[in-house]
Amino acid sequence: MTNPHRALLVTGILLLILAPIAIQAQGSIQGRVVDSQTDTPLEGANARLVSLDRDITRGMASDEEGMVRFPVLPNGEYTLTVTYVGYVSQVDTVTVSPGQESPIHVFHLMPDDRLLDEVVVSSGMTGITSREAGAQRITNIDIQRVPTPGGSGDLATYLQAMPGVVATGDRGGQLYIRGGLPSQNMVLMDGALVYQPFHIVGFFSAFPEELVAGADFHASGFGSRYVGRTSSVMDIRMKDGDRHNVQATASGSPYVASLTAEGPLKRGSSSWIGSIRHSLIEQTSEPLTGERQPLHFESQYIKVSQLSENDSRCSAFWMRTKDRGKLNFSRDDQFSWTNGVLAGRCLFLPENQESFLSLDTGITSLTNEMIRPGDSELHANVQRFYLNSTFTQWTGNLRFELGMHSFLKWMEYEIDELIEGQRDDDNDLLSVGFHGEVEIPIGPSVSFTPGLAISVYPNRYPVSIEPRFRAEWRPFGPDGGELFLAGGIYRQALAGVSDLRDASSVFTTWMLSPIGEQQMEARHASLGWRQSIGQQWSISLEGYAKQLLRQPVTIWSSIARFTTDLALADGQVSGIDVRVEYRGERLYTFLGYGISSVEYQSAQDHFGTWFGEPIQRYHPPHDRRHQIQSMLQWSLGSYEISLRWQLGSGFPFTRPMGFDELHYFQKEPPDVRSEFGSTRVIMERPYDERLPAFHRLDLSVERTFSFPLADLAIQAGAINVYNRSNLFYYDVYTDRRVNQMPFSPYISIRMELD
């Protein structure tokens, strides 16, 4: 019996044993938390349930649909209190009666700007240390806390403040999460996959503060609904427009200018929201930093939403992003990529309100190219049409989730100038499959969630069976600490191939498995503890391990050259993330430390030729061994002060061994005494040295002025306050050091109109 089938059998046995135990519960209470103006679900809202005799006290945070559910409850009366930072709290009295269905209690929370600094502490706290079996919930308030030189927060900057996330520099928009490659991250925007959403200027993405309602970030061990990626998941929910009032926000800084507006289509039932962003750094960088930075990005976005009388809703959106620029300013190589998304989503709530159904469909695309003037041009395109559905049903105290996933992808590329043996090609890939999981509460303190994903790829790959699981244990009650465990098998049908030899390359080609007929695979395991300390402190500790199989990598050569080939590598990833968070009335601070190791093993002919060993173990160029992240936000009177300091150990790089001169003898013997040949760089073992450590301090100070029709926020700040010369990478061809951004002051203005 194969390992996947054995895991499937074990999962079934566990369900048969544990399900009867869970169904013995007497009752449950469920609620849904939404914004009263937009009906957007408020993920991470804190719900606290207390029985009238105060014998039972429980707390939890709402999920991505704003849902909360308290199973295993004795009959009786309870008070349910819902709080969310920036909103007016609500309290409801709920009764659990024998034989009576438990309706969903909908909480329409009203925004209240006076509560933005309110401290809300419960077992369902959101923020950097809030986790759910390896998942972290990110709210709009969290995104605002990280200083960003754009007038408002951005999800890209927030993610880079986490110790398990590695960014190679402030250019390129590449995120490496717990040892995985950028092409192995799944980024979902209202259910639609976005291939390359992080802009070429690393502070920005397609997800600015004004548009994001909330996000779930799974650094590892994600559930069975997420199929097709082996590293991580960023499941981002975008805001619906205001169904009652017209609002607009305009902002500008030396980095970017943006305009966001929203309002009702039909007051009370439908709405729209739109955004335009355009970078300015190409025009402003030289007077600010003394060096022109040829970097450009832009984005356009619009979304419409419709709400029905029973709280069912549908939405559709269109998004386009465009990036271009040079990452090595001394070269002529220019990169560009364009994302396009047209998608729709519906959520149906049946009358009995014990279940809901979600449908997602759309088409997404990525076009990217690399241009070398006078030499070669590389381009690669991918398009994806998808149709997904998920049905969620509560039966007793069990939560069942069943779904169908399907997609059709078209790929076309021309990369023979870069990857030898990979001719120009175009092909397609069809996949259909099913996924399911069941959440099983075992008493009031234990929850176990096994899941399974099955995918079929006609005429291409074998049937993929991917068992997964999550578990949580609160040994000291709902307000005590929590132990969480997650793991599973994850496969990826399309490989995003990049030239890993060069840190300045962001060109990615999406293709079917270039070697063999098996998918890439990763096996995850993570174990962690989360603990609240008093009313304001919390701490999280998580260890993780990943095994990587059949990962395409560019072939290392002892001669530095432009063209390369592909080989397969296996890898081992392990690490520990520690996070400490403090939430006070006027002060917020966070400190995170991550230690990790990423090691590849690959067999290549070049290894045997130069070192007498055909197999090499090496640390790839994104292996950052140590990383410290810290943030501070302090409300001082009418001023908001934000600090971020980060430190990272050096990345691996391949050291030059020396140089020689290559002579050609095809036509006639050269005169080696007087003629120079072509200079070549001879390289050492792959990635056998490390670059210097990286550290940087970013600072911003903001003050908001209120007027009758608008609020005006003025922010002054600087990137790299003490002007540290952080190395981006060393160019062995030109013997030139390429640095990251120097000291860069800025002033931004943001105006919010009601």
Side-chain angles (χ1 to χ4, degrees):
M1 182 180 294
T2 63
N3 288 335
H5 290 88
R6 185 181 296 113
L8 179 61
L9 178 60
V10 171
T11 300
I13 294 174
L14 286 173
L15 287 176
L16 291 175
I17 295 174
L18 296 177
I21 300 174
I23 294 177
Q24 293 175 0
Q26 299 177 14
S28 63
I29 292 175
Q30 53 190 345
R32 186 162 177 265
V33 189
V34 298
D35 184 296
S36 63
Q37 296 179 337
T38 66
D39 198 56
T40 300
L42 296 178
E43 182 183 13
N46 294 292
R48 191 169 186 83
L49 186 73
V50 180
S51 62
L52 293 187
D53 56 13
R54 299 195 175 274
D55 288 341
I56 298 176
T57 301
R58 297 183 188 176
M60 70 172 300
S62 57
D63 64 13
E64 67 272 13
E65 296 297 341
M67 301 293 294
V68 294
R69 183 176 171 84
F70 297 94
V72 197
L73 293 174
N75 299 327
E77 291 189 346
Y78 300 82
T79 59
L80 180 57
T81 304
V82 177
T83 59
Y84 194 79
V85 177
Y87 288 79
V88 179
S89 302
Q90 284 190 18
V91 181
D92 196 2
T93 301
V94 185
T95 302
V96 175
S97 302
Q100 180 179 340
E101 290 186 353
S102 173
I104 294 179
H105 301 265
V106 181
F107 293 83
H108 295 88
L109 300 190
M110 292 288 296
D112 190 336
D113 294 336
R114 296 171 301 174
L115 299 179
L116 285 177
D117 295 322
E118 177 185 338
V119 180
V120 180
V121 180
S122 81
S123 61
M125 180 189 291
T126 62
I128 291 182
T129 58
S130 173
R131 312 189 63 76
E132 203 174 79
Q136 178 186 321
R137 289 203 173 108
I138 302 171
T139 69
N140 184 270
I141 301 298
D142 297 321
I143 297 173
Q144 296 175 19
R145 290 194 168 106
V146 185
T148 305
S152 59
D154 194 286
L155 183 62
T157 311
Y158 178 86
L159 290 172
Q160 293 175 46
M162 302 170 63
V165 179
V166 170
T168 55
D170 46 34
R171 299 188 290 274
Q174 303 283 79
L175 297 183
Y176 300 83
I177 298 173
R178 290 189 176 176
L181 300 175
S183 60
Q184 296 165 350
N185 300 326
M186 173 176 282
V187 183
L188 299 175
M189 183 181 197
D190 273 356
L193 179 69
V194 186
Y195 283 94
Q196 206 162 329
F198 300 102
H199 288 309
I200 197 167
V201 181
F203 306 111
F204 304 102
S205 70
F207 313 111
E209 166 196 327
E210 293 87 356
L211 298 179
V212 175
D216 282 346
F217 175 59
H218 306 258
S220 59
F222 40 94
S224 60
R225 71 166 72 177
Y226 303 112
V227 178
R229 290 294 183 271
T230 58
S231 179
S232 70
V233 172
M234 288 162 264
D235 191 348
I236 302 153
R237 284 160 301 285
M238 309 300 283
K239 289 181 179 177
D240 294 336
D242 194 317
R243 294 182 289 115
H244 302 282
N245 304 294
V246 176
Q247 301 182 35
T249 300
S251 64
S253 79
Y255 288 81
V256 63
S258 66
L259 173 64
T260 302
E262 60 183 304
L265 287 172
K266 182 179 180 181
R267 194 172 298 275
S269 62
S270 59
S271 64
W272 62 272
I273 183 171
S275 174
I276 299 175
R277 303 175 87 198
H278 195 284
S279 67
L280 302 174
I281 190 172
E282 196 168 23
Q283 293 75 30
T284 63
S285 55
E286 191 165 3
L288 284 177
T289 67
E291 182 180 32
R292 180 175 176 270
Q293 302 196 29
L295 305 169
H296 169 84
F297 68 88
E298 61 182 78
S299 65
Q300 301 86 38
Y301 171 85
I302 188 167
K303 178 181 180 180
V304 294
S305 306
Q306 173 70 44
L307 175 69
S308 66
E309 293 183 357
N310 67 341
D311 279 337
S312 296
R313 65 183 188 277
C314 288
S315 62
F317 74 92
W318 170 82
M319 187 270 291
R320 172 187 175 272
T321 72
K322 173 71 175 180
D323 291 76
R324 63 163 174 79
K326 300 178 181 179
L327 302 188
N328 182 349
F329 302 158
S330 65
R331 292 192 197 174
D332 292 330
D333 300 354
Q334 180 165 287
F335 300 90
S336 68
W337 65 87
T338 302
N339 288 288
V341 182
L342 178 62
R345 161 176 280 185
C346 285
L347 176 69
F348 301 99
L349 296 174
E351 291 298 328
N352 63 15
Q353 297 190 344
E354 286 286 333
S355 61
F356 63 86
L357 173 68
S358 64
L359 295 176
D360 298 274
T361 188
I363 187 167
T364 68
S365 66
L366 171 69
T367 300
N368 78 116
E369 60 184 4
M370 175 182 175
I371 301 173
R372 309 185 79 195
D375 190 354
S376 60
E377 179 176 334
L378 312 175
H379 76 266
N381 307 321
V382 60
Q383 291 183 313
R384 178 181 189 265
F385 171 78
Y386 69 96
L387 176 63
N388 301 329
S389 65
T390 301
F391 177 73
T392 303
Q393 172 72 51
W394 284 272
T395 301
N397 297 303
L398 301 177
R399 180 186 65 85
F400 291 92
E401 182 177 288
L402 301 173
M404 179 274 294
H405 52 271
S406 61
F407 65 79
L408 177 61
K409 294 183 179 181
W410 301 269
M411 295 145 285
E412 180 269 332
Y413 51 85
E414 184 178 343
I415 58 171
D416 50 349
E417 293 291 331
L418 177 63
I419 308 293
E420 295 179 357
Q422 295 296 323
R423 60 183 177 82
D424 306 346
D425 204 353
D426 60 273
N427 44 45
D428 55 66
L429 177 66
L430 172 66
S431 175
V432 294
F434 302 90
H435 59 272
E437 65 179 32
V438 55
E439 182 178 350
I440 307 170
I442 306 173
S445 61
V446 177
S447 175
F448 178 61
T449 308
L452 187 70
I454 301 175
S455 300
V456 180
Y457 305 90
N459 302 321
R460 181 55 195 177
Y461 297 116
V463 175
S464 176
I465 301 176
E466 304 170 41
R468 305 172 185 181
F469 71 93
R470 304 190 307 275
E472 301 173 358
W473 179 39
R474 299 179 178 90
F476 309 115
D479 295 327
E482 178 184 64
L483 182 72
F484 52 88
L485 174 68
I489 295 176
Y490 305 84
R491 295 194 180 96
Q492 184 167 333
L494 286 188
V497 176
S498 299
D499 189 355
L500 296 181
R501 304 171 303 164
D502 191 351
S504 69
S505 177
V506 294
F507 177 78
T508 301
T509 303
W510 290 91
M511 61 176 68
L512 299 173
S513 178
I515 304 174
E517 297 184 353
Q518 289 185 300
Q519 303 180 59
M520 290 183 293
E521 183 175 314
R523 299 169 183 176
H524 295 193
S526 60
L527 175 67
W529 179 267
R530 180 180 64 197
Q531 177 71 56
S532 296
I533 305 173
Q535 293 296 305
Q536 293 156 331
W537 289 92
S538 59
I539 185 171
S540 174
L541 172 69
E542 182 175 357
Y544 58 89
K546 296 181 181 180
Q547 181 183 15
L548 311 178
L549 302 175
R550 301 180 295 276
Q551 183 163 279
V553 296
T554 46
I555 279 186
W556 177 90
S557 172
S558 58
I559 307 298
R561 58 197 179 103
F562 179 65
T563 57
T564 184
D565 205 341
L566 294 177
L568 291 180
D570 295 335
Q572 298 287 339
V573 182
S574 59
I576 298 175
D577 287 348
V578 183
R579 310 155 190 247
V580 180
E581 189 176 32
Y582 173 81
R583 292 169 176 255
E585 183 175 357
R586 293 285 181 176
L587 177 67
Y588 170 87
T589 185
F590 156 74
L591 177 65
Y593 169 69
I595 179 172
S596 65
S597 173
V598 185
E599 185 179 67
Y600 285 179
Q601 175 180 301
S602 181
Q604 300 180 18
D605 293 338
H606 292 286
F607 295 149
T609 301
W610 280 84
F611 306 116
E613 303 168 338
I615 299 176
Q616 290 287 319
R617 293 181 178 271
Y618 61 91
H619 298 283
H622 58 279
D623 175 42
R624 172 160 278 167
R625 193 58 50 83
H626 302 277
Q627 186 159 270
I628 297 175
Q629 298 282 1
S630 61
M631 290 193 307
L632 181 145
Q633 186 182 60
W634 186 20
S635 297
L636 183 61
S638 55
Y639 293 91
E640 196 80 33
I641 301 172
S642 296
L643 296 170
R644 177 193 174 195
W645 184 77
Q646 50 187 322
L647 168 67
S649 58
F651 290 118
F653 77 101
T654 303
R655 180 175 54 182
M657 182 188 301
F659 301 86
D660 72 354
E661 300 293 331
L662 175 65
H663 293 273
Y664 296 93
F665 291 80
Q666 286 86 348
K667 294 183 178 180
E668 60 183 22
D671 186 352
V672 296
R673 294 172 297 179
S674 60
E675 297 179 8
F676 291 100
S678 301
T679 302
R680 301 188 304 178
V681 185
I682 310 300
M683 310 300 291
E684 254 284 6
R685 290 177 182 267
Y687 310 108
D688 62 335
E689 289 291 338
R690 289 190 177 264
L691 299 174
F694 161 89
H695 56 89
R696 190 179 75 193
L697 173 67
D698 301 337
L699 167 69
S700 70
V701 180
E702 180 178 311
R703 181 172 181 179
T704 301
F705 302 88
S706 296
F707 300 98
L709 297 178
D711 290 336
L712 178 67
I714 299 178
Q715 183 185 91
I719 302 299
N720 198 0
V721 171
Y722 48 79
N723 201 26
R724 160 80 176 181
S725 295
N726 289 303
L727 181 66
F728 183 28
Y729 79 103
Y730 175 72
D731 190 340
V732 298
Y733 292 99
T734 61
D735 188 27
R736 183 176 185 268
R737 174 186 176 119
V738 180
N739 284 336
Q740 299 191 40
M741 191 170 293
F743 171 71
S744 306
Y746 64 88
I747 295 178
S748 65
I749 299 174
R750 184 179 72 253
M751 179 174 288
E752 299 179 359
L753 302 173
D754 291 329

